[in-house]
């Protein structure tokens, strides 16, 4: 509300727009990712067809997370602080994304003759990806929670920016040549935050 707005004016505004407020609130709640137990018993990464089981090994001392055979994550040590467990899972996901997305990005670039300088992986809350003027492509590690076709669209979208640093007609024509279904996939990507587990953003 604007500075110095009276309490009476705020109350009157809320009363006048209550139906709209409730409608928007219900819509937001419908899009909220479902609550899952934490630590999660399993981490699904549909974009790269992976499903990781999470095993709490127990113990005391510094928390440690390691990959084991057959897509198994083992968390050992003191897990009483949920924020430390989340931070460990965030670091693991960033590392996993760096490994698997590097190969996918290189494959897409080869397929359509794109060139880029380097890949950067981040954990962001509002952006899925970007491309700098120097040719660095940045991707959100949360893209791993999206369907494979959405991941491929995002990679081709950012690679197209290596030729067109804008969203001009020429840029979208470039995207369309690589990904004819880009409009549908772009809508899925915009809605993709619903598929990101709640522990990734809290």
């Amino acid at each position: 509300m604007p500075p110095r707005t009276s309490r009476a004016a705020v109350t009157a505004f809320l009363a006048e727009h209550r139906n709209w407020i409730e409608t928007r609130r219900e819509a937001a709640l419908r899009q909220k990712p479902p609550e899952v137990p934490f630590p999660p018993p399993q981490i699904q990464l549909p974009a790269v067809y992976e499903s990781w089981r999470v095993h709490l090994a127990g113990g005391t001392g510094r928390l440690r997370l390691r990959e084991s055979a057959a897509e198994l994550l083992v968390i050992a040590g003191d897990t009483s602080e949920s924020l430390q467990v989340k931070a460990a899972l965030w670091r693991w996901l960033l590392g996993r994304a760096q490994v698997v997305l590097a190969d996918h990005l290189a494959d897409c670039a080869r397929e359509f003759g794109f060139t880029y300088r380097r890949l950067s992986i981040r954990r962001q809350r509002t952006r899925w990806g970007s491309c700098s003027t120097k040719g660095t492509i940045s991707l959100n590690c949360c893209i791993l929670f999206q369907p494979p076709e959405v991941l491929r669209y995002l990679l081709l979208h950012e690679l197209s920016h290596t030729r067109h640093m804008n969203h001009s007609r020429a840029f979208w024509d470039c995207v369309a040549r690589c990904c004819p279904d880009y409009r549908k996939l772009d809508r899925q990507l915009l809605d993709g935050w619903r598929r990101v587990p709640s522990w990734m953003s809290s």
Side-chain angles (χ1 to χ4, degrees), residues 61-73:
R62 184 176 59 86
L63 186 143
R64 304 172 302 284
L65 184 152
R66 64 181 176 85
E67 292 183 6
S68 186
E71 296 185 354
L72 175 66
L73 291 179

Side-chain angles (χ1 to χ4, degrees), residues 39 45-46 57 78 87 91 94 100 110 125 133 164 177 179 196 202:
L45 304 178
D78 183 3
R91 288 192 298 271
L94 283 166
V100 296
R110 268 194 305 272
R125 296 191 179 192
T133 55
H164 307 279
R177 285 192 293 273
C179 185
V196 178
S202 57

Side-chain angles (χ1 to χ4, degrees), residues 33-147:
E35 293 295 329
V36 296
F38 188 83
Q42 196 170 47
I43 299 176
Q44 303 278 353
L45 304 178
V48 290
Y49 303 99
E50 293 182 357
S51 177
W52 291 81
R53 292 174 295 127
V54 179
H55 172 64
L56 299 180
T60 59
R62 184 176 59 86
L63 186 143
R64 304 172 302 284
L65 184 152
R66 64 181 176 85
E67 292 183 6
S68 186
E71 296 185 354
L72 175 66
L73 291 179
V74 177
I75 302 177
D78 183 3
T79 58
S80 59
E81 293 291 334
S82 63
L83 189 56
Q84 291 185 12
V85 180
K86 287 179 183 179
L89 289 173
W90 294 340
R91 288 192 298 271
W92 170 78
L93 190 70
L94 283 166
R96 190 69 196 149
Q98 185 72 52
V99 171
V100 296
L101 294 180
D103 289 342
H104 283 271
L105 183 63
D107 288 345
C108 285
R110 268 194 305 272
E111 183 179 352
F112 293 99
F114 291 107
T115 58
Y116 60 97
R117 184 177 179 185
R118 58 185 289 266
L119 170 64
S120 172
I121 302 295
R122 302 177 183 176
R123 183 178 72 90
Q124 297 170 289
R125 296 191 179 192
T126 58
R127 301 188 71 177
W128 290 111
S130 62
C131 178
S132 75
T133 55
K134 294 182 178 181
T136 295
I137 291 180
S138 297
L139 298 175
N140 190 329
C141 63
C142 292
I143 193 63
L144 294 180
F145 297 109
Q146 310 306 314

